């Protein structure tokens, strides 16, 4: 009788066990382990945000001379005061030299390598990383097409000078479109980066890539600051 009573108590009162209660899926949840994983994720996100912000500002500064050179070669029709004082005219490009193209390519390839090395992370972080990487790769494509345009314009490979000039103009138009897409892709990443800085209570970070340095309102990197 005593053994039977003990069995009834065990069956009727299983909640007296000291083992952690299983989750609905049958997996036991360790709150301490969950907290540990969440803390590690938050630390990784903070590190990724700092790395992305530092790289965006550094890359922007290094790419500005490239953007200025591209603006001379592929003017957008929004001649700045600096362009006007230098005697530049809207719609009239200045073909870059081979040395200039090589110098710009070195900068772009360096930035691309650094963007590729930036680790992946949260969805928000990956928007920044992939946007910046896409932008710099598009700049590399811009330089490739611009080089082809120069070859068509000056190598004499086409059967007629008029045909060569027309092909060069067409390639220049493609290069200009690629340059604009690069700026647009960078802008998406820069907006996301700014939003992440705000969410992390680091203030604003403005690291947009402008068409040329005369567009200071869109191209300045604003260091993080409190109070926003």
């Amino acid at each position: 009788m005593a053994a039977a009573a003990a069995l009834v108590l065990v069956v009727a009162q299983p909640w007296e066990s000291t083992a952690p209660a299983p989750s609905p899926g049958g997996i036991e949840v360790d709150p301490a382990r969950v907290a540990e994983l969440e803390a590690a994720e938050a630390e990784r996100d903070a590190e990724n945000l700092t790395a992305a912000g530092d790289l965006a500002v550094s890359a922007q500064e290094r790419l500005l001379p490239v953007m200025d050179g591209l603006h001379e070669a592929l003017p957008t029709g929004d001649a700045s005061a600096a362009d006007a004082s230098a005697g530049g005219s809207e719609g009239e490009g200045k073909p870059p030299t081979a040395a200039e193209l090589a110098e710009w390519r070195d900068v772009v390839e360096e930035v691309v390598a650094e963007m590729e090395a930036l680790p992946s992370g949260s969805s928000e972080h990956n928007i920044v990383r992939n946007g910046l990487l896409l932008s710099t790769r598009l700049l590399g494509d811009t330089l490739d097409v611009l080089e082809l345009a120069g070859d068509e314009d000056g190598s004499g490979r086409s059967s007629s000078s008029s045909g060569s000039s027309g092909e060069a103009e067409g390639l220049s138009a493609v290069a200009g479109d690629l340059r604009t897409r690069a700026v647009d892709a960078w802008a998406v990443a820069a907006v996301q980066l700014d939003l992440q800085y705000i969410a992390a209570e680091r203030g604003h970070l403005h690291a947009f890539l402008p068409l040329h340095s005369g567009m200071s309102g869109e191209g300045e990197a604003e260091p993080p600051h409190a109070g926003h």
Side-chain angles (χ1 to χ4, degrees):
M1 291 294 292
L7 178 60
V8 170
L9 287 174
V10 170
V11 173
Q13 297 178 336
W15 57 83
E16 292 183 359
S17 172
T18 58
S23 69
I27 302 175
E28 294 182 358
V29 177
D30 183 354
R33 179 56 177 163
V34 171
E36 180 182 348
L37 292 174
E38 289 177 344
E41 183 179 6
E43 181 179 0
R44 183 175 64 252
D45 289 345
E47 292 174 352
N48 282 344
L49 181 57
T50 298
D54 290 347
L55 181 54
V57 173
S58 170
Q60 180 216 46
E61 293 173 348
R62 284 175 286 164
L63 288 173
L64 277 178
V66 177
M67 302 306 293
D68 284 341
L70 288 175
H71 184 60
E72 289 186 8
L74 306 166
T76 58
D78 64 337
S80 64
D83 296 329
S85 64
S89 60
E90 297 183 12
E92 184 176 332
K94 172 188 173 185
T97 65
E100 287 174 329
L101 277 173
E103 181 180 352
W104 300 344
R105 196 183 304 280
D106 287 343
V107 174
V108 170
E109 289 179 351
E110 179 183 56
V111 173
V112 167
E114 293 177 11
M115 296 298 182
E116 290 175 338
L118 196 65
S120 61
S122 65
S123 297
E124 294 82 0
H125 170 76
N126 289 339
I127 290 174
V128 175
R129 178 188 182 276
N130 296 338
L132 296 177
L133 180 56
L134 172 61
S135 176
T136 47
R137 284 175 173 169
L138 284 170
L139 286 178
D141 294 340
T142 302
L143 298 180
D144 290 342
V145 175
L146 193 57
E147 183 176 17
L148 288 174
D151 290 342
E152 285 296 330
D153 193 43
S155 65
R157 290 184 298 179
S158 299
S159 59
S160 67
S161 60
S162 60
S164 177
S165 176
E167 291 180 15
E169 289 178 1
L171 289 170
S172 293
V174 172
D177 184 55
L178 288 169
R179 184 264 315 273
T180 300
R181 294 186 184 188
V183 171
D184 291 343
W186 189 288
V188 172
V191 169
Q192 178 62 43
L193 183 60
D194 188 33
L195 291 175
Q196 284 186 265
Y197 261 71
I198 295 171
E201 298 183 350
R202 298 190 186 189
H204 287 275
L205 182 65
H206 295 162
F208 292 87
L209 187 67
L211 288 170
H212 55 82
S213 58
M215 301 172 66
S216 58
E218 296 182 33
E220 290 181 351
E222 179 182 336
H225 53 277
H228 290 268

